[in-house]
């Protein structure tokens, strides 16, 4: 099937499905379950009042699951990692990135099992590494290997969802993993952090989680999308105003722990593994203004690595900064 035909079919299917969903009371918001300020929105009815939506927060294990849910029309608004965004856009899925959820730092990292004799990326040669395939973590791993002159065939890369990584780690069947929280904290009990996504970003492979929305749904609900981003900006601003106040004993951290099942003692460190951008910053050229170029660069890397078949000439149609600009006012 050609990329153009796939684009047409996906767009038509999504439009039919969303024509009914745009009128529905219930909206499913996809997320990855990280205990970040965003999760505070799931603990109150503030967002529901601001948007008029009946909201179900649905946790996804990986970006590939989000893509499938958005392609089916079941989910119209979700967090999605930069690598899956590039994959979805290249396939013609009718979505657009409207904001950054968080720029990834040590929130996603390479963890080596203690006793595995892995002290650097180059030590991965001949080792078994678990990673969610097609994810930002996978992209970071491929970038790190390329930077250090290793090919994917030099390493036994095993595609696993985060929970499967935790299980394999417990069984001793993998030597290392590139994964996010809360599994990262769990395997760090018997492992060592080698590098994080902040390092691979410096090497030229930046990663982030973005907020993406179905285009037709956003057009039909523009005021509610703006209200969502305003609420997002508010909780991120609460954290940015005084990060040191978000301790294990703070009300905010306790609420995040209760919402996500994370250990309150670990939440402050987990939160600090992301960079949160105010909406006023997001609309600048360095961020949403150049997001299409970032998506294109990621797609081209994935194509070169054999992860996707083709890229587009222009990804600007998959980024819409107007909602963030309105939310920033």
């Amino acid at each position: 099937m050609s990329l153009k035909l796939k684009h047409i079919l996906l767009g038509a299917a999504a439009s039919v499905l969303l024509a009914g969903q745009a009128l529905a009371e219930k909206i499913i918001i996809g997320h990855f379950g990280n205990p970040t300020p965003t999760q505070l929105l799931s603990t109150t009815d503030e967002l529901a009042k601001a948007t008029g939506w009946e909201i179900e927060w649905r946790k996804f294990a990986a970006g590939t699951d989000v893509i499938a849910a958005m392609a089916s029309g079941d989910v119209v608004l979700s967090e999605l990692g930069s690598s899956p965004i590039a994959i979805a856009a290249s396939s013609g899925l009718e979505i657009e990135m409207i904001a950054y959820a968080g720029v990834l730092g040590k929130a996603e990292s390479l963890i080596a099992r203690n006793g595995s004799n892995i002290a650097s990326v180059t030590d991965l040669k001949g080792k078994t590494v678990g990673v969610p395939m097609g994810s930002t973590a996978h992209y970071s791993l491929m970038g790190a290997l390329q930077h250090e002159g290793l090919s994917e065939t030099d390493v036994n890369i095993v595609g696993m969802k985060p929970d499967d990584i935790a299980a394999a780690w417990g069984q001793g069947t993998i030597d290392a993993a590139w994964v996010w929280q809360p599994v990262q904290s769990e395997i760090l009990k018997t492992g060592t952090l080698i590098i994080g996504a902040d390092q691979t970003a410096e090497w030229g492979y930046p990663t982030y989680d973005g907020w993406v929305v179905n285009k037709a749904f956003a057009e039909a609900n523009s005021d509610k999308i703006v209200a969502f981003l305003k609420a997002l900006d508010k909780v991120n601003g609460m954290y940015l105003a005084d990060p040191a106040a978000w301790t294990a004993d703070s009300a905010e951290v306790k609420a995040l722990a209760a919402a996500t099942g994370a250990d309150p003692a670990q939440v402050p460190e987990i939160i600090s593994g992301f960079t949160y951008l105010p909406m006023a910053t997001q609309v600048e050229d360095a961020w949403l203004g150049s997001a299409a170029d970032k998506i294109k660069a990621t797609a081209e890397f994935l194509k070169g690595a054999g992860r996707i078949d083709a890229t587009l000439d222009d990804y600007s149609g998959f980024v819409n900064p107007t909602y963030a600009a309105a939310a920033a006012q």
Side-chain angles (χ1 to χ4, degrees), residues 182-203:
V183 171
Q184 184 184 114
S185 292
E186 179 63 27
I187 65 177
L188 271 171
K189 294 175 183 177
T190 53
T192 302
L193 192 151
I194 305 302
I195 62 169
D198 51 346
Q199 179 62 70
T200 48
E202 290 184 13
W203 289 343

mmCIF file of all heavy atoms in Angstrom, residues 182-203:
data_model
loop_
_atom_site.group_PDB
_atom_site.id
_atom_site.type_symbol
_atom_site.label_atom_id
_atom_site.label_comp_id
_atom_site.label_asym_id
_atom_site.label_seq_id
_atom_site.Cartn_x
_atom_site.Cartn_y
_atom_site.Cartn_z
ATOM 1 N N PRO A 182 8.044 3.714 36.062
ATOM 2 C CA PRO A 182 8.712 3.385 37.327
ATOM 3 C C PRO A 182 9.616 2.151 37.262
ATOM 4 O O PRO A 182 10.279 1.831 38.248
ATOM 5 C CB PRO A 182 7.526 3.130 38.258
ATOM 6 C CG PRO A 182 6.485 2.548 37.366
ATOM 7 C CD PRO A 182 6.628 3.272 36.047
ATOM 8 N N VAL A 183 9.642 1.474 36.115
ATOM 9 C CA VAL A 183 10.487 0.281 36.000
ATOM 10 C C VAL A 183 11.955 0.644 36.208
ATOM 11 O O VAL A 183 12.718 -0.122 36.806
ATOM 12 C CB VAL A 183 10.276 -0.409 34.632
ATOM 13 C CG1 VAL A 183 11.302 -1.518 34.413
ATOM 14 C CG2 VAL A 183 8.865 -0.974 34.543
ATOM 15 N N GLN A 184 12.326 1.832 35.732
ATOM 16 C CA GLN A 184 13.716 2.252 35.896
ATOM 17 C C GLN A 184 14.142 2.210 37.364
ATOM 18 O O GLN A 184 15.211 1.681 37.693
ATOM 19 C CB GLN A 184 13.897 3.664 35.330
ATOM 20 C CG GLN A 184 15.337 4.161 35.372
ATOM 21 C CD GLN A 184 15.458 5.596 34.898
ATOM 22 O OE1 GLN A 184 15.803 6.478 35.667
ATOM 23 N NE2 GLN A 184 15.156 5.833 33.633
ATOM 24 N N SER A 185 13.339 2.766 38.245
ATOM 25 C CA SER A 185 13.682 2.766 39.670
ATOM 26 C C SER A 185 13.747 1.359 40.237
ATOM 27 O O SER A 185 14.584 1.057 41.099
ATOM 28 C CB SER A 185 12.658 3.595 40.455
ATOM 29 O OG SER A 185 12.766 4.966 40.142
ATOM 30 N N GLU A 186 12.874 0.490 39.744
ATOM 31 C CA GLU A 186 12.848 -0.880 40.240
ATOM 32 C C GLU A 186 14.137 -1.622 39.890
ATOM 33 O O GLU A 186 14.747 -2.273 40.754
ATOM 34 C CB GLU A 186 11.639 -1.618 39.654
ATOM 35 C CG GLU A 186 11.512 -3.063 40.090
ATOM 36 C CD GLU A 186 11.296 -3.224 41.584
ATOM 37 O OE1 GLU A 186 10.746 -2.305 42.223
ATOM 38 O OE2 GLU A 186 11.699 -4.278 42.116
ATOM 39 N N ILE A 187 14.575 -1.517 38.631
ATOM 40 C CA ILE A 187 15.772 -2.274 38.244
ATOM 41 C C ILE A 187 17.059 -1.612 38.734
ATOM 42 O O ILE A 187 18.104 -2.262 38.812
ATOM 43 C CB ILE A 187 15.817 -2.524 36.716
ATOM 44 C CG1 ILE A 187 15.962 -1.218 35.941
ATOM 45 C CG2 ILE A 187 14.567 -3.281 36.269
ATOM 46 C CD1 ILE A 187 16.083 -1.429 34.427
ATOM 47 N N LEU A 188 16.972 -0.324 39.080
ATOM 48 C CA LEU A 188 18.152 0.347 39.636
ATOM 49 C C LEU A 188 18.532 -0.198 41.012
ATOM 50 O O LEU A 188 19.653 0.018 41.475
ATOM 51 C CB LEU A 188 17.925 1.855 39.733
ATOM 52 C CG LEU A 188 18.311 2.679 38.512
ATOM 53 C CD1 LEU A 188 17.833 4.119 38.653
ATOM 54 C CD2 LEU A 188 19.816 2.641 38.278
ATOM 55 N N LYS A 189 17.617 -0.920 41.640
ATOM 56 C CA LYS A 189 17.925 -1.514 42.946
ATOM 57 C C LYS A 189 19.052 -2.534 42.814
ATOM 58 O O LYS A 189 19.789 -2.776 43.773
ATOM 59 C CB LYS A 189 16.674 -2.174 43.528
ATOM 60 C CG LYS A 189 15.561 -1.191 43.870
ATOM 61 C CD LYS A 189 14.306 -1.922 44.333
ATOM 62 C CE LYS A 189 13.169 -0.940 44.613
ATOM 63 N NZ LYS A 189 11.904 -1.650 44.996
ATOM 64 N N THR A 190 19.172 -3.131 41.635
ATOM 65 C CA THR A 190 20.243 -4.102 41.395
ATOM 66 C C THR A 190 21.004 -3.760 40.106
ATOM 67 O O THR A 190 21.554 -4.643 39.450
ATOM 68 C CB THR A 190 19.677 -5.533 41.281
ATOM 69 O OG1 THR A 190 18.630 -5.548 40.289
ATOM 70 C CG2 THR A 190 19.112 -5.995 42.613
ATOM 71 N N GLY A 191 20.982 -2.482 39.756
ATOM 72 C CA GLY A 191 21.650 -2.051 38.533
ATOM 73 C C GLY A 191 22.302 -0.697 38.693
ATOM 74 O O GLY A 191 22.205 -0.060 39.744
ATOM 75 N N THR A 192 22.949 -0.260 37.614
ATOM 76 C CA THR A 192 23.672 1.011 37.604
ATOM 77 C C THR A 192 23.276 1.821 36.382
ATOM 78 O O THR A 192 23.224 1.280 35.268
ATOM 79 C CB THR A 192 25.201 0.763 37.569
ATOM 80 O OG1 THR A 192 25.568 -0.018 38.703
ATOM 81 C CG2 THR A 192 25.962 2.083 37.587
ATOM 82 N N LEU A 193 23.001 3.093 36.584
ATOM 83 C CA LEU A 193 22.665 3.970 35.468
ATOM 84 C C LEU A 193 23.937 4.288 34.679
ATOM 85 O O LEU A 193 24.918 4.781 35.242
ATOM 86 C CB LEU A 193 22.011 5.254 35.983
ATOM 87 C CG LEU A 193 21.348 6.155 34.931
ATOM 88 C CD1 LEU A 193 20.188 6.937 35.555
ATOM 89 C CD2 LEU A 193 22.349 7.135 34.314
ATOM 90 N N ILE A 194 23.911 3.980 33.385
ATOM 91 C CA ILE A 194 25.078 4.214 32.526
ATOM 92 C C ILE A 194 24.997 5.592 31.877
ATOM 93 O O ILE A 194 25.887 6.424 32.066
ATOM 94 C CB ILE A 194 25.197 3.124 31.441
ATOM 95 C CG1 ILE A 194 25.218 1.735 32.087
ATOM 96 C CG2 ILE A 194 26.464 3.347 30.615
ATOM 97 C CD1 ILE A 194 26.337 1.519 33.090
ATOM 98 N N ILE A 195 23.945 5.861 31.119
ATOM 99 C CA ILE A 195 23.700 7.190 30.564
ATOM 100 C C ILE A 195 22.187 7.390 30.465
ATOM 101 O O ILE A 195 21.415 6.432 30.425
ATOM 102 C CB ILE A 195 24.345 7.418 29.178
ATOM 103 C CG1 ILE A 195 23.771 6.443 28.148
ATOM 104 C CG2 ILE A 195 25.850 7.348 29.228
ATOM 105 C CD1 ILE A 195 24.164 6.789 26.713
ATOM 106 N N GLY A 196 21.798 8.664 30.401
ATOM 107 C CA GLY A 196 20.390 8.986 30.229
ATOM 108 C C GLY A 196 20.140 9.648 28.891
ATOM 109 O O GLY A 196 21.067 9.905 28.108
ATOM 110 N N ALA A 197 18.867 9.942 28.640
ATOM 111 C CA ALA A 197 18.488 10.598 27.383
ATOM 112 C C ALA A 197 19.046 12.004 27.283
ATOM 113 O O ALA A 197 19.146 12.557 26.190
ATOM 114 C CB ALA A 197 16.963 10.626 27.249
ATOM 115 N N ASP A 198 19.428 12.586 28.415
ATOM 116 C CA ASP A 198 20.066 13.906 28.358
ATOM 117 C C ASP A 198 21.415 13.824 27.639
ATOM 118 O O ASP A 198 21.790 14.736 26.893
ATOM 119 C CB ASP A 198 20.243 14.493 29.759
ATOM 120 C CG ASP A 198 20.918 13.531 30.740
ATOM 121 O OD1 ASP A 198 21.030 12.329 30.450
ATOM 122 O OD2 ASP A 198 21.330 14.004 31.818
ATOM 123 N N GLN A 199 22.128 12.711 27.830
ATOM 124 C CA GLN A 199 23.417 12.531 27.153
ATOM 125 C C GLN A 199 23.232 12.276 25.660
ATOM 126 O O GLN A 199 23.944 12.859 24.829
ATOM 127 C CB GLN A 199 24.188 11.371 27.776
ATOM 128 C CG GLN A 199 25.541 11.094 27.120
ATOM 129 C CD GLN A 199 26.499 12.254 27.220
ATOM 130 O OE1 GLN A 199 26.985 12.570 28.296
ATOM 131 N NE2 GLN A 199 26.761 12.927 26.107
ATOM 132 N N THR A 200 22.281 11.416 25.304
ATOM 133 C CA THR A 200 22.075 11.149 23.886
ATOM 134 C C THR A 200 21.554 12.397 23.167
ATOM 135 O O THR A 200 21.805 12.573 21.971
ATOM 136 C CB THR A 200 21.110 9.966 23.676
ATOM 137 O OG1 THR A 200 19.957 10.135 24.494
ATOM 138 C CG2 THR A 200 21.780 8.657 24.030
ATOM 139 N N ALA A 201 20.838 13.268 23.885
ATOM 140 C CA ALA A 201 20.401 14.538 23.289
ATOM 141 C C ALA A 201 21.610 15.380 22.930
ATOM 142 O O ALA A 201 21.665 16.001 21.855
ATOM 143 C CB ALA A 201 19.488 15.293 24.242
ATOM 144 N N GLU A 202 22.617 15.394 23.808
ATOM 145 C CA GLU A 202 23.850 16.134 23.523
ATOM 146 C C GLU A 202 24.588 15.534 22.335
ATOM 147 O O GLU A 202 25.299 16.238 21.613
ATOM 148 C CB GLU A 202 24.759 16.144 24.755
ATOM 149 C CG GLU A 202 24.240 16.992 25.904
ATOM 150 C CD GLU A 202 25.221 17.035 27.065
ATOM 151 O OE1 GLU A 202 26.390 16.616 26.876
ATOM 152 O OE2 GLU A 202 24.826 17.477 28.151
ATOM 153 N N TRP A 203 24.407 14.253 22.108
ATOM 154 C CA TRP A 203 25.051 13.573 20.978
ATOM 155 C C TRP A 203 24.275 13.755 19.677
ATOM 156 O O TRP A 203 24.674 13.256 18.635
ATOM 157 C CB TRP A 203 25.197 12.086 21.273
ATOM 158 C CG TRP A 203 26.224 11.762 22.321
ATOM 159 C CD1 TRP A 203 27.215 12.576 22.781
ATOM 160 C CD2 TRP A 203 26.370 10.521 23.028
ATOM 161 N NE1 TRP A 203 27.965 11.939 23.734
ATOM 162 C CE2 TRP A 203 27.478 10.667 23.908
ATOM 163 C CE3 TRP A 203 25.683 9.308 23.010
ATOM 164 C CZ2 TRP A 203 27.895 9.646 24.760
ATOM 165 C CZ3 TRP A 203 26.096 8.279 23.863
ATOM 166 C CH2 TRP A 203 27.191 8.454 24.719
#
